[in-house]
Amino acid sequence: MLVEAKKDIFSQLIKEATRDELLWMNGFLSGVLSAEKGGVDGISDNNLSVKPKVEKLSILYATETGNAKSLAAKFATTSKKLGIKTKLTSVDQYRLSDLSKEEYLFVVISTQGDGEPPLAAAKFFNAIHENDLKLPKLKYGVLALGDSSYPLFCQAGEDVDKQLELRGAKRVAVLQKCDTDYEEIANEWFESNIVSLNAQQSSNSATPQVIAKKTSAKKIYNGRVITNFNLNDKDSHKETHHIEIAAEGIEYTPGDALGVVPENPAQDWKEILHLTNLAPEAKIMWKDEAYKVSDLLKNKLQIIYLHERVVKKYAAIVEQEIPETRMNLTDLLKIYPVKNEEEFLQVVQILEPIAPRLYSISSSPEAHADEVHITVARDKFFVNEKEEFGLCSDYLSKLDVETNLNFYIHPNKVFRMPSEYSDVIMIGPGTGIAPFRSFLFERDAQGASGKNWLFFGDQHFTSDFLYQTEIQSFLDSGVLTKFNGAFSRDQEHKVYVQHKMQQHGAELFEWLEGGAYIYICGAKEPMSFDVEKTLIEIIASQKNIDDSQAVNYLEKLKEDGRLLKDVY
């Protein structure tokens, strides 16, 4: 018990302390209490600090959008304030030969696509899957970022956690999976584990800290389609829909995306009912809930283009040899039919939920109150010479006005506009223009004084110039300072946005030197790679330096948060 005077001093100290100071106090007191024989040998008379039990820590991050990097950087700042020598490294820059020398390692990794790690993590992933790798000295923890709407939630993080354990490393922090609303639980995970490790009598007695599971259910909005039209002219080979959705009280920030789970085509789920002789109203259990079989097949289960792993499970149920390839459930039922209703019920249990699709928001909360707009390219492709369409883009493109639509907002915390005084260069061919329409409307509504430069590209000027009238209006009003369009098929030699960037390289570099921010949105391959390659060439030419120095210049832009990408 503290005497009243000391209690008052302590209470005042706690009240006025910042979060970082409270964290330091926690580690300090833990160190004092865990010192040998209850002594205070670890305290320096000069700075009243306790020597950390964890002297060195490596933090690796593997990121696709930048969220894992941002978190890892925060973790590194926290550990340094605790007196720990901390090395922060991207996995693609990490020397794999150092892995066996590490003592403490925390990994922050996101999951992309179908349970895959970020592209930058390829070499690291391959290395930890090598059976010859032995890591008996390593103590580790993994924080995994993902989206629980997808079947293989945080799969990349699970894989890293499992492989490090198989290589002989010791887990000192329980694997933490984080959904899209991740910041609070991620910070709690790191802080509690690093303080706990510091408080241990020795590194060998470190025990994993279990963070209470928190759920952060996405807020589902019920909107109403108020506009849906094709932005392309009738002569275009493309079909790009501008869709406006009314939703009272909706909250988002320019740069965010809209997530939607599409319905399966009626002809497909109805054919499944026909093939299985099931009544539409029949009830089926799936994930501990009862559904009408028609609702399940229409709204919940992926029945189109099943993954190979699902086809493999189907083959085991029907006890037939089936090629490991992606197939529709209707085709499986026709070629390799189930024997009875019981077998079909087994099939239902192996089917995965329909994964949501994300679309960059193209509206501004300031300019379009209680609305959200998206720009959707109807995906067309051929399978065995038959034209097919992407499930979600086809579904959205056919939505009638006044149709209700459930959706959620997927925040993109690293693709944010700079201050209203900063200049912005936006590079967004095709539907990559979507967030930049949002940016321009938002900066216009805010009266931002920073300059705006837009590079846009598509196939033909007359049929594929998305949002042409609005862009012209922004130019006339001065909101858009410069615009350069690249229409690849309007001349003999194809012209893309990177060619327009080269033509204006001197001025573009002048903007960069003046502090401008660069944003890239659209196709990851090859567009985003070509754009970065062109930026390196422009920097090298204008600054009269070699390519390696230009790469360093570009990397510095990324580190400073002045080169941001939203690519897919």
Side-chain angles (χ1 to χ4, degrees):
M1 253 336 245
L2 290 174
V3 297
E4 198 64 34
K6 289 184 179 180
K7 184 178 179 182
D8 289 343
I9 294 171
F10 185 72
S11 297
Q12 188 65 25
L13 180 63
I14 296 297
K15 183 178 179 181
E16 296 177 354
T18 65
R19 179 179 178 83
D20 286 335
E21 289 169 340
L22 288 171
L23 182 63
W24 181 89
M25 291 179 205
N26 187 18
F28 175 83
L29 292 172
S30 295
V32 171
L33 292 172
S34 65
E36 282 189 302
K37 300 178 183 178
V40 291
D41 296 338
I43 302 177
S44 164
D45 292 332
N46 294 327
N47 56 19
L48 291 177
S49 63
V50 177
K51 184 179 180 181
K53 293 292 187 291
V54 178
E55 295 184 1
K56 293 182 180 180
L57 171 67
S58 288
I59 300 178
L60 297 183
Y61 63 86
T63 188
E64 199 66 35
T65 64
N67 289 332
K69 178 181 179 180
S70 178
L71 267 182
K74 288 181 182 177
F75 295 168
T77 300
T78 298
S79 62
K80 287 176 182 177
K81 287 180 179 178
L82 288 172
I84 301 170
K85 294 178 183 177
T86 306
K87 182 173 66 175
L88 175 67
T89 315
S90 171
V91 286
D92 59 336
Q93 301 294 319
Y94 184 70
R95 289 188 302 184
L96 296 173
S97 58
D98 287 346
L99 194 55
S100 60
K101 305 171 189 174
E102 301 281 9
E103 185 176 6
Y104 286 96
L105 174 74
F106 278 4
V107 181
V108 185
I109 183 169
S110 61
T111 295
Q112 63 160 349
D114 192 31
E116 299 156 2
L119 290 176
K123 290 183 179 178
F124 179 78
F125 239 64
N126 291 337
I128 62 175
H129 279 77
E130 290 290 337
N131 291 329
D132 293 341
L133 180 66
K134 306 298 179 187
L135 303 171
K137 291 173 52 180
L138 183 67
K139 302 170 186 66
Y140 74 93
V142 177
L143 183 114
L145 300 182
D147 185 334
S148 59
S149 303
Y150 290 84
L152 299 180
F153 174 53
C154 290
Q155 185 64 50
E158 285 191 13
D159 290 343
V160 171
D161 183 74
K162 177 182 178 181
Q163 291 303 318
L164 291 177
E165 183 182 36
L166 289 174
R167 306 285 83 80
K170 179 181 179 182
R171 184 187 295 107
V172 293
V174 171
L175 170 68
Q176 181 65 59
K177 298 181 184 180
C178 295
D179 208 341
T180 53
D181 186 13
Y182 57 83
E183 287 187 321
E184 182 182 351
I185 193 168
N187 288 328
E188 182 183 339
W189 174 85
F190 181 78
E191 290 172 4
S192 63
N193 277 299
I194 201 65
V195 168
S196 174
L197 288 174
N198 256 341
Q200 301 296 329
Q201 289 289 343
S202 70
S203 60
N204 290 329
S205 63
T207 55
Q209 293 297 295
V210 180
I211 308 301
K213 185 176 181 180
K214 296 183 180 179
T215 57
S216 53
K218 301 177 180 69
K219 181 176 181 179
I220 303 299
Y221 292 94
N222 180 251
R224 176 174 53 87
V225 176
I226 55 176
T227 299
N228 186 351
F229 65 89
N230 183 10
L231 291 164
N232 299 95
D233 190 79
K234 61 182 179 180
D235 296 326
S236 176
H237 297 295
K238 296 186 173 185
E239 191 176 330
T240 310
H241 282 251
H242 173 75
I243 303 173
E244 299 181 3
I245 305 160
E248 189 174 349
I250 186 171
E251 295 180 358
Y252 64 91
T253 301
D256 287 345
L258 179 145
V260 62
V261 177
E263 292 180 2
N264 285 314
Q267 66 267 25
D268 287 273
W269 62 263
K270 287 181 178 179
E271 187 173 7
I272 292 170
L273 290 177
H274 173 72
L275 291 168
T276 56
N277 293 316
L278 282 171
E281 302 299 312
K283 291 291 184 73
I284 288 184
M285 293 298 296
W286 184 70
K287 293 189 179 297
D288 301 323
E289 287 189 49
Y291 294 90
K292 291 180 184 178
V293 65
S294 56
D295 290 341
L296 200 56
L297 294 173
K298 177 182 178 182
N299 301 311
K300 295 290 184 180
L301 298 177
Q302 181 179 337
I303 60 175
I304 307 292
Y305 208 47
L306 301 182
H307 196 280
E308 289 96 330
R309 61 176 171 268
V310 177
V311 174
K312 186 176 181 179
K313 292 176 183 177
Y314 183 97
I317 291 172
V318 298
E319 298 180 326
Q320 295 195 55
E321 292 289 331
I322 302 177
E324 289 191 16
T325 184
R326 303 193 75 151
M327 297 179 69
N328 291 350
L329 181 57
T330 51
D331 294 329
L332 283 172
L333 289 169
K334 289 175 185 176
I335 305 169
Y336 311 98
V338 293
K339 300 181 186 68
N340 48 45
E341 183 178 320
E342 183 181 342
E343 264 196 4
F344 180 70
L345 294 179
Q346 292 180 52
V347 169
V348 167
Q349 302 310 313
I350 66 166
L351 295 177
E352 296 174 346
I354 303 171
R357 274 62 165 180
L358 299 178
Y359 295 92
S360 296
I361 292 173
S362 53
S363 54
S364 150
E366 286 285 338
H368 309 101
D370 292 328
E371 291 181 13
V372 62
H373 305 172
I374 53 176
T375 309
V376 179
R378 191 179 183 212
D379 187 24
K380 301 178 184 180
F381 55 94
F382 287 87
V383 177
N384 297 325
E385 300 183 354
K386 179 186 176 185
E387 187 177 47
E388 301 280 2
F389 298 94
L391 176 62
C392 194
S393 62
D394 188 50
Y395 165 70
L396 290 172
S397 69
K398 293 177 179 177
L399 288 178
D400 293 325
V401 171
E402 299 301 323
T403 301
N404 288 332
L405 179 70
N406 290 332
F407 64 90
Y408 66 93
I409 299 301
H410 182 90
N412 188 347
K413 297 177 181 177
V414 296
F415 200 73
R416 293 287 187 243
M417 293 191 306
S419 77
E420 59 183 282
Y421 308 106
S422 299
D423 297 338
V424 173
I425 300 169
M426 298 164 283
I427 305 164
T431 54
I433 195 175
F436 304 139
R437 179 180 186 265
S438 173
F439 282 19
L440 289 169
F441 270 111
E442 187 80 356
R443 281 168 78 85
D444 183 28
Q446 293 176 343
S449 59
K451 295 185 294 182
N452 303 296
W453 187 351
L454 174 64
F455 288 89
F456 170 74
D458 217 311
Q459 291 187 351
H460 298 285
F461 175 88
T462 57
S463 59
D464 304 313
F465 193 165
L466 308 184
Y467 300 115
Q468 179 181 0
T469 304
E470 292 178 352
I471 289 172
Q472 187 60 56
S473 295
F474 282 132
L475 283 167
D476 292 342
S477 66
V479 172
L480 193 53
T481 313
K482 284 184 68 69
F483 171 78
N484 291 106
F487 298 96
S488 59
R489 308 299 199 275
D490 282 348
Q491 55 283 309
E492 184 179 350
H493 300 290
K494 292 179 182 178
V495 175
Y496 298 109
V497 286
Q498 61 266 26
H499 300 126
K500 293 294 181 180
M501 291 166 60
Q502 280 284 14
Q503 290 175 15
H504 299 271
E507 187 175 4
L508 192 151
F509 182 71
E510 186 179 321
W511 278 49
L512 286 182
E513 288 286 88
Y517 287 67
I518 306 180
Y519 294 83
I520 304 169
C521 184
K524 181 187 297 182
E525 296 186 68
M527 186 277 295
S528 68
F529 297 116
D530 291 339
V531 165
E532 285 202 43
K533 180 174 179 289
T534 301
L535 283 171
I536 291 169
E537 292 171 357
I538 290 171
I539 293 164
S541 173
Q542 295 299 318
K543 206 168 173 62
N544 196 25
I545 55 178
D546 61 34
D547 283 352
S548 63
Q549 292 172 305
V551 168
N552 291 336
Y553 184 104
L554 198 71
E555 289 303 314
K556 185 66 165 60
L557 289 178
K558 293 178 182 178
E559 290 173 12
D560 294 343
R562 286 179 51 211
L563 174 55
L564 302 166
K565 297 186 293 183
D566 180 11
V567 295
Y568 35 81

